[in-house]
Amino acid sequence: MKKRITLKQIARELDVSISTVSKALRNSIEISEDTRQKVQAFAKFYNYRPNNIALSLKNRKTKTIGIIIPEIVHHFFSKVISGIEAVANKRGYNVIVGLSNESFAKEVINMEMLANGSIDGFILSIAKETLQQQDYHHFTETINQGMPIVMFDRVVNAIKCDKIIVDDVLGAKKAVSKLISNDCKNIAIITTKDYVSVGKLRTQGYLEALEEHKINPKASLILKVDDELLSEDHLDSLEKEIENLFRNNKKLDGIFAVNELYAITAMKVARKLKMNIPDDLQIIGFTDGVLSKHAVPALTTVSQHGQKIGEKAAELLINNLEREDEEDIYETVVIETELIERNSTK
Amino acid sequence: MKKRITLKQIARELDVSISTVSKALRNSIEISEDTRQKVQAFAKFYNYRPNNIALSLKNRKTKTIGIIIPEIVHHFFSKVISGIEAVANKRGYNVIVGLSNESFAKEVINMEMLANGSIDGFILSIAKETLQQQDYHHFTETINQGMPIVMFDRVVNAIKCDKIIVDDVLGAKKAVSKLISNDCKNIAIITTKDYVSVGKLRTQGYLEALEEHKINPKASLILKVDDELLSEDHLDSLEKEIENLFRNNKKLDGIFAVNELYAITAMKVARKLKMNIPDDLQIIGFTDGVLSKHAVPALTTVSQHGQKIGEKAAELLINNLEREDEEDIYETVVIETELIERNSTK
DNA sequence: TGTCAACACGAAAACGTTTTCGTAGCACAT
DNA sequence: ATGTGCTACGAAAACGTTTTCGTGTTGACA
């Protein structure tokens, strides 16, 4: 077991000073051709690599990005990470991930753990509990300490930072408009409680689409599901709530669901009630995950382009980190959604 | 924007030495009650937090675990990460992830990038290309430098390190035995080429189950899919290959697929050929992802418990890191699989 | 008064780099 | 002999900690 070699050791072996070694390795013209060759050969032989931690301490830069997301076992979030990683890697950065599990406390702890020098900046999507409590002090404090943040998907406008969002309103509007032009007369929305920003925005898009087509929204067609039901463990109660929606609206012929799970569960209920998709009922979901693609029938859905969101977030953050002038100009980038038509609509 | 405060600044403000501040904050009895109070109050007021990088340099420990996996947009791998993160966090570690994208070169680069002081140890699953080329020098070198590695799922026995594996053979055997006892007479396996260790092992389990029940394996019932077809982009050709399998074996009545995608695609083909599941054809998959749970009919599958694999891997690695004696005793832990019976079998 | 602990603190090294600045040695011109 | 200007290198500081060791001051005690 040969440990990593350091500059000091090379210097001692070659009987020169540490500075000479350092310079020789960086091809400084200060050092004679002779010495340079000698040092480089020696370093190569012993497979010398500068110690990242020492460099980080010296440069006060870690070349590492912190990612804080609510969960990782989730198609959208893993796509985003994948996008971040790709760009980060290309630009010489590593990524370190923390999971909040939708908990405020874990979000705070994770951020504090990383903010003490471990990373140069954050890319994050806010936990539901945080959104609910509206306590954003950990974000403002981090930013105040000069550590940039890029938020994606679940953002809050009050915080001054870069943001990557999806045109949730427009995406939802397009989806619902599609249902309307496909002759749906009674379109329900299955969405989240309002404190989840994206749920609220998609609901807004739903309402706007109805209004544009002079359709009066009906309260009974709007199902705001309690967020606990999103977890895989509460599928049953989610199914019951949706089944109630169906039973209370006999003429239901279109559904817009704000996420994949709601859409798939709606399909399940429809099947149970012997409704034919898309003949009796057309369904559109949000987020283009594996479930939508492989469902039967394949689900028409609003794709969010998670990969692109991640890439853009990483770009924005790194640009910010490497910008010379310390101007605080924050962008909000909107990544366009795309309606992917499959077989759950006509 | 107030930057993070350091020991030196506190020392200057309070007109004491750096060492006094450091000791006071750690409640050393060397420091008088008075000074301690003063320093701690000041530190608290300015929200002092020790700089992680400086600590890492000093202690030569980063309290960070490196994870290298082939891809992250994948139910199994994200489950594993989730398990690692949970344990790591509880024990005061962070996780930093690198993606190999199944490429040998990216695996090597990622490991080199992290091995230079950024992390204390690795948890990884080997890229397919690496398995194919059988070039493992980056693993042995890392281990030789005293940095421990824990491999999971895709492992290679030649490397001396901790390993977490699934009882692939037994899991496959249980699945195929289930099909046999469900009266299947012509059971096919859809698997990978042999260099993917887990594919090979699951194939072995399939063969063992047949043998145990005195059934002669038929070459035409064994489909070894080229790994490129696993990507979501090549669904069509994957479907064609599987369709050929069906057409060449008219009496096919059972399928064991070594992963979720193969199983789902087989279901798709069956549907296309008007075969009824599970009456005409019974299917069992491997890996318990979302697709299996939400497929119609829901897919019977061999669950690998990705979360548990991750947890165990993290435990093993951290135990190793924190062990005093430098004994190199490596464990191979087998995580039991579980056959989750759903509706694709009788 | 002198000695000795106990107390409370500071100086400095160490972790592994990079970089600034100083300078010894030499050649050359004056 | 003096001055000038290179060349090639070394010393030391700095990044932010922790820790070992040394030391000045105090009070108790003989």
Side-chain angles (χ1 to χ4, degrees):
Chain A
M1 178 164 97
K2 33 179 185 178
K3 282 273 175 197
R4 295 203 141 294
I5 198 174
T6 69
L7 286 188
K8 191 192 286 193
Q9 296 172 42
I10 300 184
R12 195 177 325 154
E13 292 296 324
L14 262 40
D15 209 39
V16 290
S17 77
I18 296 182
S19 2
T20 304
V21 177
S22 176
K23 288 173 191 163
L25 289 176
R26 331 198 92 238
N27 265 318
S28 158
I29 49 158
E30 265 187 82
I31 306 300
S32 71
E33 187 60 28
D34 236 34
T35 323
R36 249 186 288 169
Q37 299 269 333
K38 207 172 51 177
V39 172
Q40 294 187 4
F42 191 93
K44 178 154 197 178
F45 182 75
Y46 282 98
N47 193 27
Y48 168 80
R49 296 269 183 282
N51 179 310
N52 275 335
I53 295 294
L55 287 180
S56 295
L57 182 58
K58 179 110 190 63
N59 303 331
R60 276 116 122 231
K61 299 204 178 143
T62 61
K63 289 264 181 180
T64 303
I65 295 175
I67 304 180
I68 311 278
I69 50 175
E71 46 172 339
I72 195 171
V73 189
H74 191 297
H75 193 266
F76 173 66
F77 286 122
S78 53
K79 272 274 184 198
V80 174
I81 296 189
S82 169
I84 296 175
E85 206 264 353
V87 170
N89 233 278
K90 194 172 301 169
R91 299 185 63 171
Y93 283 73
N94 283 314
V95 303
I96 179 164
V97 316
L99 270 30
S100 68
N101 288 321
E102 304 286 10
S103 138
F104 172 75
K106 270 212 72 181
E107 187 172 89
V108 173
I109 292 179
N110 257 308
M111 286 191 65
E112 284 190 352
M113 195 155 170
L114 297 182
N116 301 324
S118 301
I119 60 161
D120 295 341
F122 281 107
I123 295 177
L124 58 86
S125 189
I126 309 178
K128 282 196 186 134
E129 203 185 347
T130 308
L131 289 169
Q132 208 166 3
Q133 299 182 199
Q134 303 194 26
D135 183 345
Y136 307 130
H137 76 277
H138 49 311
F139 301 140
T140 52
E141 274 173 22
T142 308
I143 293 171
N144 275 338
Q145 278 168 12
M147 179 166 297
I149 291 182
V150 176
M151 293 186 177
F152 71 90
D153 198 48
R154 302 194 203 150
V155 307
V156 17
N157 287 326
I159 307 291
K160 297 269 168 264
C161 66
D162 286 322
K163 301 180 186 88
I164 319 281
I165 54 175
V166 147
D167 52 345
D168 285 290
V169 178
L170 188 58
K173 199 168 158 186
K174 280 193 291 190
V176 176
S177 298
K178 173 73 186 171
L179 290 174
I180 295 174
S181 68
N182 274 8
D183 271 341
C184 292
K185 302 298 179 197
N186 290 278
I187 303 173
I189 180 173
I190 308 177
T191 181
T192 62
K193 300 279 183 200
D194 274 348
Y195 63 81
V196 181
S197 58
V198 294
K200 186 175 178 181
L201 292 171
R202 291 170 199 172
T203 307
Q204 185 187 330
Y206 164 81
L207 293 173
E208 285 184 12
L210 293 187
E211 188 179 10
E212 202 165 83
H213 292 83
K214 317 276 187 217
I215 303 177
N216 277 332
K218 280 176 57 182
S220 68
L221 284 173
I222 300 179
L223 174 58
K224 294 191 179 175
V225 181
D226 213 354
D227 65 310
E228 273 113 46
L229 304 186
L230 225 178
S231 114
E232 289 277 336
D233 309 330
H234 297 75
L235 275 180
D236 288 352
S237 22
L238 172 63
E239 205 172 319
K240 281 213 189 78
E241 283 213 48
I242 294 181
E243 199 170 331
N244 281 338
L245 174 72
F246 276 61
R247 296 201 185 280
N248 294 339
N249 297 278
K250 295 292 182 189
K251 289 161 64 183
L252 188 66
D253 58 1
I255 290 186
F256 170 59
V258 301
N259 62 49
E260 204 170 34
L261 188 61
Y262 291 175
I264 293 289
T265 309
M267 285 182 64
K268 197 173 291 178
V269 172
R271 200 175 307 116
K272 186 171 161 192
L273 300 180
K274 309 287 183 203
M275 295 177 78
N276 185 357
I277 302 174
D279 292 334
D280 304 336
L281 176 70
Q282 300 183 53
I283 303 186
I284 299 184
F286 213 108
T287 287
D288 187 29
V290 277
L291 279 180
S292 308
K293 186 185 269 177
H294 293 285
V296 183
L299 187 67
T300 294
T301 191
V302 181
S303 167
Q304 303 182 80
H305 297 139
Q307 179 95 17
K308 198 180 290 180
I309 292 180
E311 291 168 5
K312 193 69 196 170
E315 266 176 39
L316 239 53
L317 182 62
I318 298 179
N319 285 347
N320 190 338
L321 290 174
E322 300 187 344
R323 196 166 31 219
E324 291 302 325
D325 55 284
E326 290 288 314
E327 303 236 43
D328 297 340
I329 313 165
Y330 298 118
E331 267 182 85
T332 294
V333 175
V334 177
I335 304 288
E336 295 227 347
T337 59
E338 180 187 1
L339 187 65
I340 300 184
E341 296 191 39
R342 289 196 275 241
N343 305 324
S344 65
T345 49
K346 289 185 200 170
Chain B
M1 176 164 97
K2 33 180 185 177
K3 283 274 174 197
R4 294 197 97 42
I5 198 173
T6 69
L7 285 188
K8 191 190 283 192
Q9 297 172 42
I10 301 184
R12 196 177 322 155
E13 293 296 322
L14 262 40
D15 207 39
V16 292
S17 78
I18 296 182
S19 3
T20 304
V21 177
S22 175
K23 287 172 189 163
L25 290 176
R26 331 198 92 237
N27 265 320
S28 159
I29 49 159
E30 264 187 82
I31 307 299
S32 70
E33 187 60 30
D34 237 34
T35 325
R36 249 185 290 170
Q37 299 268 333
K38 207 173 49 177
V39 172
Q40 293 187 5
F42 191 93
K44 180 155 195 174
F45 181 75
Y46 283 98
N47 193 27
Y48 169 79
R49 296 269 182 283
N51 179 307
N52 275 336
I53 295 293
L55 287 179
S56 294
L57 183 59
K58 181 110 188 60
N59 303 330
R60 274 116 123 231
K61 299 206 179 142
T62 62
K63 289 261 179 186
T64 303
I65 295 175
I67 303 180
I68 311 277
I69 50 175
E71 46 172 339
I72 196 170
V73 188
H74 190 296
H75 192 266
F76 173 66
F77 285 123
S78 52
K79 271 273 184 198
V80 174
I81 296 189
S82 169
I84 296 174
E85 206 264 355
V87 171
N89 233 278
K90 193 172 300 165
R91 300 185 64 170
Y93 283 72
N94 283 314
V95 303
I96 180 164
V97 315
L99 271 29
S100 68
N101 288 321
E102 305 286 11
S103 138
F104 173 75
K106 269 211 73 179
E107 187 172 271
V108 173
I109 291 178
N110 257 308
M111 286 191 66
E112 284 191 351
M113 194 153 170
L114 296 182
N116 301 324
S118 302
I119 61 162
D120 295 341
F122 281 107
I123 296 178
L124 58 86
S125 189
I126 308 178
K128 282 196 187 132
E129 202 185 349
T130 309
L131 289 169
Q132 209 166 2
Q133 298 181 200
Q134 304 193 26
D135 183 344
Y136 306 130
H137 77 277
H138 49 312
F139 302 140
T140 52
E141 273 173 22
T142 308
I143 293 170
N144 275 338
Q145 278 167 11
M147 179 165 297
I149 291 182
V150 176
M151 293 186 177
F152 71 91
D153 198 48
R154 302 194 203 149
V155 307
V156 18
N157 287 326
I159 307 290
K160 296 272 169 257
C161 66
D162 286 323
K163 301 180 187 87
I164 318 282
I165 53 175
V166 148
D167 53 345
D168 285 289
V169 178
L170 189 57
K173 199 168 158 186
K174 280 194 291 192
V176 175
S177 298
K178 174 74 186 169
L179 289 174
I180 295 175
S181 69
N182 274 7
D183 271 342
C184 291
K185 302 298 180 197
N186 290 279
I187 304 173
I189 180 173
I190 308 177
T191 182
T192 63
K193 299 280 182 198
D194 273 349
Y195 62 83
V196 181
S197 58
V198 295
K200 184 175 178 183
L201 292 171
R202 290 169 199 172
T203 306
Q204 185 186 330
Y206 163 82
L207 292 173
E208 285 184 14
L210 293 186
E211 187 179 12
E212 203 167 81
H213 293 83
K214 317 277 187 216
I215 303 177
N216 278 332
K218 280 176 59 182
S220 67
L221 284 174
I222 301 179
L223 174 56
K224 294 190 179 176
V225 181
D226 213 354
D227 66 310
E228 272 113 47
L229 304 186
L230 225 178
S231 116
E232 290 277 335
D233 310 330
H234 296 76
L235 276 180
D236 287 352
S237 23
L238 173 62
E239 206 172 318
K240 282 214 187 79
E241 283 213 47
I242 294 180
E243 200 171 328
N244 281 338
L245 174 72
F246 276 62
R247 297 201 184 279
N248 294 337
N249 296 278
K250 295 293 181 188
K251 291 163 62 182
L252 188 66
D253 57 2
I255 290 186
F256 170 58
V258 301
N259 62 50
E260 205 170 32
L261 189 62
Y262 291 175
I264 293 289
T265 310
M267 284 182 65
K268 197 173 293 179
V269 171
R271 202 175 307 116
K272 185 170 161 193
L273 300 181
K274 309 287 184 201
M275 295 177 78
N276 184 358
I277 302 174
D279 293 333
D280 304 335
L281 178 68
Q282 301 183 52
I283 303 187
I284 299 183
F286 213 109
T287 288
D288 188 29
V290 277
L291 279 180
S292 308
K293 187 184 268 176
H294 293 283
V296 185
L299 187 67
T300 295
T301 191
V302 181
S303 167
Q304 303 183 82
H305 298 138
Q307 179 97 15
K308 198 179 290 178
I309 292 179
E311 291 167 5
K312 194 68 196 171
E315 266 176 38
L316 238 52
L317 182 62
I318 297 178
N319 286 347
N320 190 337
L321 290 174
E322 300 186 344
R323 193 163 36 215
E324 291 302 325
D325 56 283
E326 290 289 314
E327 302 237 43
D328 297 339
I329 314 164
Y330 298 117
E331 265 183 87
T332 294
V333 176
V334 177
I335 303 289
E336 293 225 350
T337 58
E338 181 188 2
L339 187 65
I340 301 184
E341 296 192 38
R342 289 196 276 241
N343 305 325
S344 65
T345 50
K346 290 187 199 169

